[in-house]
Amino acid sequence: MAREADDKRNFALREESGEETSVFTGKVPRQAALKAARKLDPSESEDAAPREEFRLRERGTHKLHIYEGWAWREAAPEDSPEWMPETVTEANVAKQGIEHLEGL
């Protein structure tokens, strides 16, 4: 079945124990991975941010997307709305690969 252009996909954050703790939504895996990376403990700068590996299982499939992610704090843009805090969390990810799970 073909996926519509605006279809969102769900990706579950998978812990090492195999437990799935959170679900992130996006049109593509990287979009969900960026949302997951923003939940990491942020550093003061991108250069100082430790890289952490995490895995996202695409719901309804046996695909496990593996990412390395990092997060840091940054000053909010000058044109930010009043309700936005003075510092915001930024994140970046690098895809490490895909695994196919057996027996789900």
XYZ file of all heavy atoms in Angstrom:
834
model
N 0.845 -1.178 0.000
C 0.000 0.000 0.000
C 0.892 1.243 0.000
O 1.790 1.368 0.818
C -0.878 -0.036 1.245
C -1.866 1.075 1.308
S -3.067 0.726 2.597
C -2.802 2.119 3.631
N 0.652 2.156 -0.900
C 1.458 3.368 -1.008
C 1.113 4.337 0.115
O -0.034 4.465 0.525
C 1.221 4.034 -2.351
N 2.133 5.025 0.599
C 1.954 6.000 1.668
C 1.636 7.354 1.051
O 2.236 7.752 0.056
C 3.261 6.076 2.470
C 3.063 6.574 3.841
C 4.323 6.659 4.663
N 5.452 5.854 4.324
C 5.789 4.732 4.936
N 5.043 4.233 5.880
N 6.887 4.093 4.594
N 0.674 8.053 1.631
C 0.324 9.399 1.166
C 1.463 10.359 1.470
O 2.245 10.140 2.390
C -0.955 9.880 1.852
C -2.199 9.097 1.478
C -2.617 9.292 0.038
O -2.491 10.413 -0.483
O -3.065 8.317 -0.574
N 1.552 11.454 0.753
C 2.635 12.419 0.912
C 2.648 13.063 2.298
O 3.699 13.426 2.796
C 2.535 13.496 -0.156
N 1.494 13.212 2.928
C 1.437 13.873 4.234
C 1.287 12.889 5.395
O 1.037 13.304 6.517
C 0.316 14.902 4.263
C -1.058 14.274 4.044
O -1.119 13.100 3.617
O -2.061 14.956 4.297
N 1.459 11.597 5.144
C 1.334 10.599 6.208
C 2.472 10.727 7.212
O 3.637 10.814 6.840
C 1.346 9.177 5.644
C 0.000 8.752 5.121
O -0.979 9.507 5.293
O -0.081 7.663 4.534
N 2.100 10.722 8.481
C 3.082 10.725 9.559
C 3.358 9.287 9.958
O 2.481 8.434 9.887
C 2.552 11.498 10.769
C 2.190 12.928 10.487
C 3.405 13.778 10.403
C 2.968 15.214 10.175
N 3.985 16.158 10.327
N 4.575 9.019 10.361
C 4.963 7.688 10.816
C 5.364 7.790 12.283
O 5.843 8.831 12.732
C 6.132 7.183 9.969
C 5.712 6.986 8.520
C 6.818 7.118 7.521
N 7.905 6.169 7.641
C 9.004 6.225 6.901
N 9.166 7.175 6.004
N 9.957 5.348 7.050
N 5.165 6.709 13.026
C 5.496 6.684 14.443
C 6.757 5.859 14.663
O 6.907 4.768 14.104
C 4.340 6.091 15.254
C 3.139 7.001 15.235
O 3.272 8.198 15.429
N 1.972 6.445 15.002
N 7.643 6.376 15.503
C 8.902 5.732 15.816
C 9.039 5.646 17.327
O 8.974 6.667 18.022
C 10.078 6.534 15.233
C 10.017 6.650 13.734
C 9.320 7.677 13.121
C 10.644 5.712 12.932
C 9.256 7.789 11.742
C 10.587 5.807 11.547
C 9.887 6.843 10.954
N 9.209 4.431 17.842
C 9.318 4.214 19.280
C 10.786 4.190 19.683
O 11.600 3.499 19.070
C 8.647 2.902 19.664
N 11.117 4.949 20.734
C 12.468 4.949 21.280
C 12.675 3.641 22.016
O 11.934 3.305 22.934
C 12.656 6.135 22.228
C 14.034 6.292 22.847
C 15.071 6.546 21.758
C 14.023 7.428 23.847
N 13.667 2.886 21.601
C 13.898 1.543 22.140
C 15.116 1.547 23.061
O 16.217 1.892 22.649
C 14.098 0.570 20.983
C 14.077 -0.875 21.362
C 14.110 -1.695 20.070
N 14.127 -3.091 20.319
C 13.040 -3.866 20.353
N 11.864 -3.345 20.144
N 13.152 -5.153 20.574
N 14.903 1.165 24.311
C 15.980 1.073 25.294
C 16.779 -0.205 25.049
O 16.350 -1.088 24.313
C 15.392 1.063 26.715
C 14.544 2.275 27.039
C 15.318 3.583 27.044
O 16.533 3.571 27.343
O 14.717 4.621 26.743
N 17.944 -0.324 25.693
C 18.780 -1.517 25.514
C 18.070 -2.777 25.989
O 18.324 -3.863 25.483
C 20.106 -1.339 26.242
C 20.984 -0.326 25.545
C 22.408 -0.375 26.007
O 22.854 -1.447 26.487
O 23.084 0.649 25.884
N 17.161 -2.639 26.961
C 16.415 -3.786 27.474
C 15.360 -4.270 26.485
O 14.766 -5.320 26.687
C 15.739 -3.406 28.796
O 14.769 -2.391 28.569
N 15.097 -3.489 25.433
C 14.071 -3.831 24.458
C 12.756 -3.118 24.739
O 11.834 -3.170 23.936
N 12.686 -2.427 25.889
C 11.475 -1.682 26.247
C 11.380 -0.423 25.391
O 12.384 0.238 25.120
C 11.541 -1.293 27.726
C 10.340 -0.534 28.215
C 10.489 -0.096 29.666
O 11.527 -0.380 30.291
O 9.558 0.544 30.159
N 10.181 -0.093 24.960
C 9.952 1.115 24.162
C 9.305 2.153 25.058
O 8.197 1.958 25.556
C 9.107 0.776 22.939
C 9.862 -0.156 22.004
C 9.100 -0.571 20.780
O 7.886 -0.272 20.672
O 9.720 -1.207 19.909
N 10.016 3.264 25.305
C 9.608 4.220 26.321
C 8.876 5.449 25.796
O 8.056 6.004 26.505
C 10.835 4.689 27.117
O 11.796 5.232 26.211
C 11.460 3.530 27.878
N 9.176 5.892 24.610
C 8.570 7.101 24.052
C 8.273 6.882 22.581
O 8.893 6.044 21.937
C 9.524 8.290 24.170
O 9.894 8.520 25.500
N 7.353 7.681 22.050
C 7.024 7.612 20.628
C 7.177 9.006 20.034
O 6.695 9.990 20.595
C 5.587 7.083 20.402
C 5.233 7.105 18.919
C 5.440 5.688 20.969
N 7.887 9.080 18.908
C 8.089 10.335 18.197
C 7.507 10.182 16.797
O 7.608 9.123 16.188
C 9.576 10.674 18.130
C 10.180 10.851 19.488
C 10.825 9.796 20.112
C 10.079 12.054 20.154
C 11.378 9.938 21.375
C 10.620 12.215 21.418
C 11.267 11.153 22.033
N 6.910 11.247 16.280
C 6.220 11.213 15.001
C 6.965 12.070 13.992
O 7.478 13.132 14.331
C 4.782 11.741 15.169
O 4.129 10.947 16.148
C 4.005 11.675 13.876
N 6.999 11.607 12.748
C 7.604 12.381 11.676
C 7.317 11.739 10.340
O 6.942 10.569 10.266
N 7.487 12.504 9.283
C 7.298 11.960 7.936
C 8.453 11.047 7.560
O 8.288 10.116 6.794
C 7.182 13.096 6.920
C 5.910 13.885 7.038
C 5.844 14.944 5.961
C 4.583 15.759 6.094
N 4.465 16.762 5.044
N 9.643 11.357 8.077
C 10.842 10.566 7.803
C 11.516 10.251 9.136
O 11.342 10.966 10.115
C 11.809 11.316 6.858
C 11.204 11.487 5.478
C 12.214 12.652 7.434
N 12.321 9.186 9.193
C 12.965 8.815 10.458
C 13.823 9.934 11.058
O 13.856 10.105 12.277
C 13.814 7.615 10.073
C 13.205 7.066 8.850
C 12.592 8.220 8.137
N 14.517 10.707 10.239
C 15.383 11.754 10.769
C 14.590 12.810 11.542
O 15.056 13.336 12.556
C 16.175 12.426 9.635
C 17.186 13.433 10.162
C 18.084 13.984 9.049
N 19.184 14.729 9.613
C 19.104 16.004 9.994
N 17.977 16.669 9.853
N 20.162 16.608 10.509
N 13.395 13.124 11.083
C 12.563 14.104 11.769
C 12.232 13.615 13.181
O 12.325 14.370 14.149
C 11.287 14.346 10.965
C 10.427 15.464 11.500
C 9.209 15.714 10.619
O 8.786 14.849 9.848
N 8.637 16.887 10.730
N 11.872 12.347 13.314
C 11.586 11.776 14.634
C 12.863 11.704 15.466
O 12.842 11.948 16.676
C 10.968 10.393 14.477
N 14.002 11.403 14.836
C 15.273 11.318 15.559
C 15.689 12.675 16.125
O 16.215 12.758 17.235
C 16.358 10.766 14.646
N 15.454 13.747 15.381
C 15.768 15.082 15.891
C 14.918 15.411 17.112
O 15.404 16.004 18.080
C 15.559 16.135 14.795
C 16.646 16.191 13.733
C 16.183 17.052 12.549
C 17.945 16.714 14.308
N 13.664 15.003 17.104
C 12.794 15.216 18.263
C 13.311 14.423 19.458
O 13.345 14.921 20.584
C 11.360 14.815 17.937
C 10.696 15.743 16.941
C 9.310 15.252 16.589
C 8.664 16.108 15.526
N 7.307 15.654 15.186
N 13.734 13.198 19.219
C 14.275 12.364 20.296
C 15.576 12.958 20.833
O 15.809 12.960 22.048
C 14.499 10.943 19.792
N 16.433 13.474 19.960
C 17.723 14.038 20.375
C 17.535 15.278 21.254
O 18.341 15.529 22.149
C 18.575 14.370 19.160
N 16.477 16.024 21.028
C 16.225 17.217 21.845
C 15.892 16.852 23.284
O 15.962 17.697 24.168
C 15.109 18.062 21.241
C 15.587 18.744 19.970
C 14.658 19.778 19.469
N 14.394 20.765 20.513
C 13.452 21.675 20.431
N 12.698 21.735 19.382
N 13.264 22.535 21.400
N 15.556 15.604 23.538
C 15.266 15.137 24.898
C 16.535 14.726 25.644
O 16.497 14.452 26.831
C 14.287 13.952 24.871
C 12.962 14.271 24.204
C 12.237 15.352 24.944
C 10.888 15.637 24.292
N 10.241 16.822 24.830
N 17.682 14.664 24.937
C 18.947 14.335 25.585
C 19.373 15.474 26.505
O 18.927 16.609 26.354
C 20.040 14.096 24.529
C 19.826 12.937 23.565
C 20.902 12.954 22.482
C 19.825 11.615 24.305
N 20.253 15.175 27.450
C 20.769 16.190 28.372
C 21.641 17.164 27.584
O 22.693 16.770 27.062
C 21.567 15.507 29.477
C 21.947 16.457 30.586
O 21.222 17.445 30.792
O 22.983 16.209 31.242
N 21.233 18.445 27.451
C 21.978 19.379 26.604
C 23.266 19.884 27.258
O 23.339 20.070 28.467
C 20.994 20.523 26.389
C 20.094 20.480 27.565
C 20.022 19.042 27.992
N 24.293 20.123 26.428
C 25.554 20.728 26.859
C 25.480 22.226 26.620
O 24.511 22.739 26.053
C 26.715 20.136 26.071
O 26.906 18.807 26.423
N 26.541 22.915 26.994
C 26.573 24.370 26.815
C 26.880 24.783 25.374
O 26.578 25.899 24.986
C 27.585 24.996 27.774
C 27.140 24.898 29.227
C 25.771 25.527 29.473
O 25.523 26.660 29.004
O 24.947 24.858 30.116
N 27.507 23.888 24.596
C 27.803 24.210 23.203
C 27.753 22.934 22.372
O 27.853 21.831 22.916
C 29.182 24.854 23.061
O 30.193 23.896 23.309
N 27.618 23.085 21.063
C 27.560 21.911 20.185
C 28.876 21.135 20.218
O 28.882 19.912 20.226
C 27.230 22.324 18.752
C 27.099 21.134 17.821
C 26.665 21.485 16.423
O 26.617 22.673 16.066
O 26.370 20.541 15.666
N 29.999 21.849 20.260
C 31.299 21.179 20.283
C 31.508 20.348 21.547
O 32.182 19.323 21.518
C 32.430 22.197 20.147
C 32.433 22.874 18.779
O 31.932 22.252 17.810
O 32.906 24.017 18.681
N 30.939 20.789 22.670
C 31.118 20.091 23.947
C 30.075 18.991 24.171
O 30.187 18.229 25.124
C 31.050 21.095 25.095
N 29.089 18.915 23.312
C 27.990 17.962 23.506
C 28.453 16.527 23.263
O 29.024 16.228 22.210
C 26.835 18.296 22.572
N 28.221 15.631 24.236
C 28.583 14.228 24.022
C 27.616 13.569 23.033
O 26.420 13.863 23.021
C 28.462 13.604 25.411
C 27.476 14.475 26.120
C 27.646 15.848 25.550
N 28.147 12.692 22.207
C 27.312 11.963 21.242
C 26.742 10.735 21.935
O 27.475 10.015 22.614
C 28.156 11.519 20.052
C 28.343 12.516 18.924
C 28.710 13.881 19.330
N 29.038 14.696 18.143
C 29.254 15.973 18.178
N 29.209 16.630 19.294
N 29.526 16.641 17.081
N 25.454 10.495 21.774
C 24.798 9.337 22.373
C 24.069 8.560 21.283
O 23.396 9.147 20.442
C 23.792 9.771 23.437
C 24.429 10.445 24.630
C 23.416 10.797 25.693
O 22.467 10.010 25.912
O 23.570 11.873 26.300
N 24.199 7.241 21.326
C 23.506 6.397 20.356
C 22.115 6.069 20.881
O 21.939 5.811 22.064
C 24.287 5.106 20.122
C 23.648 4.251 19.036
C 24.423 2.985 18.754
O 25.433 3.074 18.042
O 24.017 1.932 19.266
N 21.137 6.123 19.999
C 19.791 5.682 20.355
C 19.158 5.012 19.147
O 19.606 5.162 18.018
C 18.920 6.831 20.902
C 18.744 7.992 19.969
C 17.679 8.042 19.094
C 19.638 9.051 19.979
C 17.504 9.108 18.236
C 19.473 10.134 19.129
C 18.406 10.159 18.264
N 18.121 4.232 19.427
C 17.475 3.424 18.388
C 15.982 3.731 18.355
O 15.341 3.827 19.397
C 17.694 1.945 18.678
C 19.155 1.579 18.621
C 19.461 0.273 19.333
N 20.891 0.012 19.279
C 21.467 -0.760 18.372
N 20.751 -1.370 17.459
N 22.765 -0.934 18.379
N 15.466 3.869 17.154
C 14.038 4.121 16.945
C 13.463 2.993 16.097
O 13.949 2.744 14.994
C 13.822 5.453 16.231
C 14.264 6.703 16.970
C 14.176 7.908 16.052
C 13.417 6.929 18.209
N 12.435 2.320 16.639
C 11.774 1.272 15.861
C 10.568 1.873 15.175
O 9.726 2.501 15.806
C 11.309 0.106 16.736
C 10.686 -1.017 15.877
C 10.206 -2.160 16.721
N 9.090 -1.804 17.560
C 7.807 -1.773 17.162
N 7.491 -2.049 15.916
N 6.853 -1.454 18.007
N 10.502 1.699 13.868
C 9.361 2.202 13.115
C 8.169 1.304 13.395
O 8.219 0.096 13.157
C 9.677 2.228 11.621
C 8.586 2.869 10.799
C 8.980 3.072 9.357
O 10.145 2.845 8.994
O 8.090 3.478 8.589
N 7.119 1.887 13.953
C 5.935 1.116 14.312
C 5.321 0.486 13.070
O 5.238 1.102 12.020
C 4.888 2.014 14.987
C 5.294 2.490 16.359
C 4.528 1.703 17.395
N 4.947 1.970 18.745
C 4.216 2.629 19.631
N 3.055 3.135 19.298
N 4.655 2.763 20.860
N 4.926 -0.780 13.209
C 4.315 -1.495 12.106
C 5.327 -2.173 11.205
O 4.952 -2.784 10.209
N 6.610 -2.050 11.529
C 7.659 -2.688 10.736
C 8.651 -3.365 11.675
O 8.552 -3.246 12.888
C 8.430 -1.670 9.865
O 9.273 -0.888 10.710
C 7.501 -0.780 9.074
N 9.633 -4.013 11.103
C 10.714 -4.627 11.865
C 12.002 -3.823 11.720
O 13.076 -4.322 11.999
C 10.947 -6.062 11.393
C 9.801 -6.962 11.709
N 9.958 -8.293 11.954
C 8.477 -6.743 11.855
C 8.790 -8.848 12.213
N 7.872 -7.916 12.137
N 11.887 -2.564 11.271
C 13.058 -1.714 11.054
C 13.444 -0.989 12.341
O 12.604 -0.380 12.995
C 12.783 -0.664 9.984
C 12.675 -1.208 8.594
C 12.464 -0.058 7.633
C 12.224 -0.543 6.224
N 11.959 0.589 5.334
N 14.730 -1.044 12.656
C 15.276 -0.341 13.806
C 16.306 0.656 13.276
O 17.359 0.272 12.767
C 15.929 -1.339 14.764
C 16.328 -0.833 16.125
C 15.103 -0.363 16.900
C 17.032 -1.925 16.895
N 15.975 1.943 13.347
C 16.843 3.008 12.838
C 17.807 3.402 13.957
O 17.377 3.747 15.057
C 16.019 4.215 12.403
C 15.040 3.898 11.317
N 15.352 4.037 9.983
C 13.767 3.434 11.363
C 14.303 3.685 9.248
N 13.332 3.310 10.068
N 19.097 3.368 13.679
C 20.120 3.660 14.679
C 20.714 5.030 14.387
O 21.171 5.296 13.273
C 21.220 2.584 14.664
C 20.587 1.208 14.859
C 22.268 2.871 15.735
C 21.491 0.065 14.505
N 20.703 5.899 15.402
C 21.205 7.268 15.267
C 22.201 7.590 16.375
O 22.120 7.045 17.466
C 20.054 8.285 15.353
C 19.243 8.382 14.109
C 18.119 7.591 13.926
C 19.593 9.263 13.096
C 17.367 7.669 12.769
C 18.845 9.348 11.933
C 17.733 8.554 11.779
O 16.999 8.638 10.625
N 23.100 8.500 16.069
C 23.951 9.125 17.063
C 23.430 10.553 17.164
O 23.284 11.240 16.145
C 25.399 9.105 16.590
C 26.356 9.704 17.576
C 27.780 9.661 17.056
O 28.083 10.396 16.103
O 28.557 8.882 17.605
N 23.116 10.998 18.369
C 22.544 12.325 18.535
C 23.251 13.115 19.611
O 23.914 12.546 20.484
N 23.123 14.444 19.549
C 23.679 15.313 20.566
C 22.815 16.557 20.659
O 22.131 16.943 19.723
C 25.142 15.639 20.281
C 25.435 16.282 18.958
C 25.620 17.607 18.715
C 25.593 15.631 17.682
N 25.882 17.819 17.381
C 25.882 16.627 16.723
C 25.525 14.303 17.256
C 26.088 16.344 15.386
C 25.730 14.025 15.926
C 26.015 15.038 15.000
N 22.827 17.173 21.854
C 21.990 18.349 22.104
C 22.807 19.399 22.855
O 23.729 19.070 23.603
C 20.762 17.955 22.917
N 22.455 20.663 22.645
C 23.138 21.759 23.312
C 22.160 22.913 23.525
O 21.108 22.980 22.900
C 24.358 22.199 22.506
C 24.036 22.828 21.183
C 23.915 24.163 20.909
C 23.759 22.155 19.930
N 23.591 24.357 19.582
C 23.501 23.151 18.974
C 23.711 20.818 19.548
C 23.185 22.832 17.648
C 23.408 20.516 18.235
C 23.150 21.518 17.297
N 22.507 23.801 24.451
C 21.695 24.984 24.736
C 22.233 26.146 23.905
O 23.438 26.275 23.710
C 21.760 25.355 26.224
C 21.403 24.253 27.174
C 19.972 23.960 27.378
N 19.212 25.094 27.861
C 17.907 25.200 27.695
N 17.246 24.256 27.075
N 17.245 26.212 28.156
N 21.306 26.979 23.445
C 21.672 28.118 22.614
C 20.719 29.265 22.921
O 19.572 29.040 23.310
C 21.550 27.709 21.147
C 22.315 28.570 20.197
C 22.379 27.925 18.818
O 21.460 28.179 18.013
O 23.341 27.180 18.573
N 21.184 30.483 22.735
C 20.318 31.646 22.949
C 19.187 31.625 21.929
O 19.389 31.253 20.761
C 21.115 32.933 22.823
N 18.009 32.009 22.366
C 16.856 32.075 21.466
C 17.096 33.150 20.404
O 17.819 34.119 20.647
C 15.597 32.392 22.262
N 16.504 32.983 19.215
C 16.667 34.006 18.169
C 16.131 35.361 18.634
O 15.226 35.434 19.472
C 15.836 33.471 17.006
C 15.516 32.064 17.334
C 15.681 31.876 18.794
N 16.689 36.415 18.085
C 16.273 37.767 18.467
C 14.798 38.035 18.159
O 14.137 38.780 18.876
C 17.145 38.808 17.766
C 18.556 38.848 18.296
C 19.374 39.923 17.630
O 18.809 40.878 17.069
O 20.616 39.798 17.673
N 14.274 37.422 17.105
C 12.880 37.653 16.720
C 11.927 36.618 17.329
O 10.812 36.435 16.838
C 12.741 37.687 15.210
C 13.146 36.370 14.568
O 13.750 35.531 15.257
O 12.858 36.187 13.376
N 12.334 35.970 18.410
C 11.499 34.934 19.024
C 10.289 35.554 19.714
O 10.328 36.708 20.165
C 12.316 34.116 20.020
O 12.777 34.935 21.066
N 9.198 34.804 19.825
C 8.004 35.325 20.495
C 8.258 35.507 21.998
O 9.181 34.917 22.567
C 6.947 34.254 20.246
C 7.681 33.048 19.815
C 9.000 33.476 19.284
N 7.427 36.295 22.636
C 7.592 36.615 24.055
C 7.546 35.381 24.949
O 8.237 35.323 25.963
C 6.504 37.597 24.501
C 6.675 38.983 23.951
C 5.583 39.924 24.420
O 4.917 39.618 25.437
O 5.401 40.957 23.775
N 6.748 34.404 24.595
C 6.582 33.233 25.445
C 7.783 32.294 25.419
O 7.948 31.447 26.279
C 5.325 32.447 25.065
C 5.255 32.056 23.619
C 4.591 32.721 22.625
C 5.890 30.936 22.988
N 4.772 32.085 21.423
C 5.560 30.978 21.613
C 6.701 29.897 23.432
C 6.010 30.030 20.703
C 7.145 28.956 22.526
C 6.795 29.033 21.186
N 8.675 32.444 24.443
C 9.824 31.550 24.309
C 10.879 31.894 25.358
O 11.161 33.064 25.599
C 10.421 31.658 22.906
C 11.521 30.643 22.644
S 12.176 30.760 20.963
C 10.912 29.888 20.065
N 11.474 30.876 25.992
C 12.528 31.167 26.971
C 13.754 31.777 26.296
O 13.905 31.722 25.079
C 12.848 29.795 27.574
C 12.325 28.802 26.613
C 11.216 29.458 25.850
N 14.661 32.328 27.107
C 15.841 32.995 26.566
C 16.850 32.023 25.970
O 17.646 32.403 25.123
C 16.488 33.863 27.631
C 15.588 35.018 28.014
C 16.316 36.085 28.788
O 17.565 36.095 28.780
O 15.631 36.916 29.382
N 16.836 30.763 26.436
C 17.692 29.744 25.846
C 16.823 28.589 25.369
O 15.805 28.274 25.983
C 18.743 29.217 26.845
O 18.074 28.668 27.965
C 19.691 30.315 27.285
N 17.232 27.977 24.281
C 16.489 26.863 23.696
C 17.440 25.688 23.492
O 18.663 25.852 23.436
C 15.836 27.253 22.344
C 14.758 28.299 22.541
C 16.872 27.729 21.361
N 16.876 24.494 23.390
C 17.670 23.299 23.140
C 17.704 23.020 21.646
O 16.661 22.915 21.011
C 17.077 22.086 23.886
O 17.036 22.373 25.273
C 17.916 20.842 23.650
N 18.900 22.923 21.098
C 19.112 22.559 19.699
C 19.641 21.131 19.674
O 20.193 20.651 20.663
C 20.136 23.490 19.047
C 19.694 24.934 18.953
C 18.687 25.177 17.856
O 18.591 24.353 16.925
O 17.996 26.194 17.925
N 19.486 20.439 18.556
C 19.966 19.065 18.452
C 20.376 18.755 17.024
O 19.961 19.436 16.084
C 18.879 18.098 18.898
N 21.183 17.699 16.896
C 21.568 17.209 15.587
C 21.724 15.700 15.695
O 21.936 15.167 16.786
C 22.860 17.850 15.099
C 22.982 17.815 13.595
O 22.171 17.195 12.912
N 24.002 18.463 13.065
N 21.599 15.002 14.573
C 21.722 13.548 14.550
C 22.514 13.109 13.323
O 22.588 13.830 12.326
C 20.343 12.843 14.535
C 19.582 13.085 15.817
C 19.517 13.250 13.345
N 23.104 11.926 13.439
C 23.804 11.292 12.314
C 23.338 9.841 12.278
O 23.427 9.134 13.287
C 25.306 11.371 12.497
N 22.836 9.408 11.137
C 22.332 8.032 11.020
C 23.509 7.056 10.967
O 24.463 7.254 10.224
C 21.463 7.877 9.777
C 20.731 6.544 9.763
C 19.496 6.616 8.920
C 18.634 5.395 9.164
N 17.359 5.504 8.520
N 23.407 6.009 11.779
C 24.449 4.989 11.844
C 24.080 3.757 11.024
O 24.940 2.992 10.649
C 24.706 4.582 13.293
C 25.104 5.763 14.181
C 26.356 6.449 13.720
O 27.396 5.813 13.576
N 26.273 7.731 13.440
N 22.767 3.545 10.797
C 22.348 2.404 10.000
C 20.961 1.939 10.367
O 20.248 2.571 11.149
N 20.569 0.815 9.783
C 19.269 0.193 10.022
C 19.504 -1.273 10.333
O 20.315 -1.925 9.679
C 18.351 0.306 8.787
C 18.023 1.763 8.488
C 17.058 -0.481 9.011
C 17.180 1.943 7.231
N 18.798 -1.771 11.348
C 18.790 -3.205 11.648
C 17.382 -3.706 11.392
O 16.415 -2.966 11.528
C 19.149 -3.463 13.112
C 20.590 -3.259 13.452
C 20.873 -3.564 14.920
O 20.002 -4.107 15.625
O 21.989 -3.224 15.360
N 17.280 -4.966 11.036
C 15.966 -5.590 10.861
C 15.779 -6.588 11.996
O 16.584 -7.517 12.153
C 15.876 -6.269 9.492
C 15.922 -5.287 8.369
N 14.809 -4.597 7.945
C 16.950 -4.828 7.609
C 15.144 -3.786 6.958
N 16.445 -3.912 6.737
N 14.759 -6.369 12.800
C 14.494 -7.224 13.944
C 13.778 -8.498 13.523
O 12.957 -8.482 12.623
C 13.649 -6.465 14.974
C 14.277 -5.183 15.537
C 13.263 -4.465 16.401
C 15.526 -5.509 16.312
N 14.068 -9.557 14.224
C 13.419 -10.847 13.978
C 12.387 -11.112 15.059
O 12.594 -10.751 16.219
C 14.468 -11.961 14.006
C 15.553 -11.821 12.960
C 15.040 -11.990 11.537
O 14.115 -12.794 11.330
O 15.567 -11.318 10.638
N 11.282 -11.719 14.697
C 10.312 -12.227 15.663
C 9.570 -11.220 16.488
O 9.321 -11.452 17.655
N 9.207 -10.082 15.955
C 8.377 -9.132 16.704
C 6.933 -9.497 16.637
O 6.425 -10.035 15.747
C 8.562 -7.714 16.155
C 9.744 -6.957 16.674
C 9.767 -5.559 16.065
C 9.764 -6.840 18.159
